[in-house]
Amino acid sequence: MEYRTGYPPMNPGGCPYPGPKEDSHVVTTTVVNVAPNVTSVRDHFLWSIFNFAFMNFCCLGFVALAFSVKSRDRKVVGDVEGARHYGSTARTLNIVIAVIATLCIVLSIVIPLAIVLSAR
């Protein structure tokens, strides 16, 4: 194998790695796994914001947003049971809003279409 003049070989010492030198000190490490003490409680905050902004049927989107914020506040305080209760109520309200808005959208398409087709 030829080397160009001016370029030193990449591994002049050869391999394998000889190990640590005798004058180096040994470093010991300790790994501590710390688990968070707060359990995961879903507050459905983003879903409530979406429903508040786009599907606010009879102000139910605002009510769902208020319950989501209450759930988040309870979670911060440490009241897991209260956070679950408020989160569950927010989820129920968001489902009701989604169903009512979907029905309104479908009916607003089907009824005029039926009127136009029956007029022919």
Side-chain angles (χ1 to χ4, degrees), residues 4 15 17-18 27 32 38 42 47 49 52-53 59 63-64 66 72 75 83-85 91 93 97 99 102 116 118:
R4 292 186 194 179
C15 59
Y17 175 66
V27 178
V32 178
V38 177
R42 301 194 61 173
W47 191 11
I49 287 178
F52 175 67
C59 293
V63 175
R72 189 166 280 193
K75 186 167 52 171
R84 281 191 188 129
H85 175 70
R91 184 187 69 227
L93 288 171
I97 295 166
V99 168
T102 303
V116 168
S118 66

Side-chain angles (χ1 to χ4, degrees), residues 90-111:
R91 184 187 69 227
T92 303
L93 288 171
N94 283 324
I95 290 171
V96 168
I97 295 166
V99 168
I100 291 173
T102 303
L103 285 175
C104 288
I105 291 170
V106 168
L107 289 177
S108 68
I109 294 171
V110 169
I111 290 175

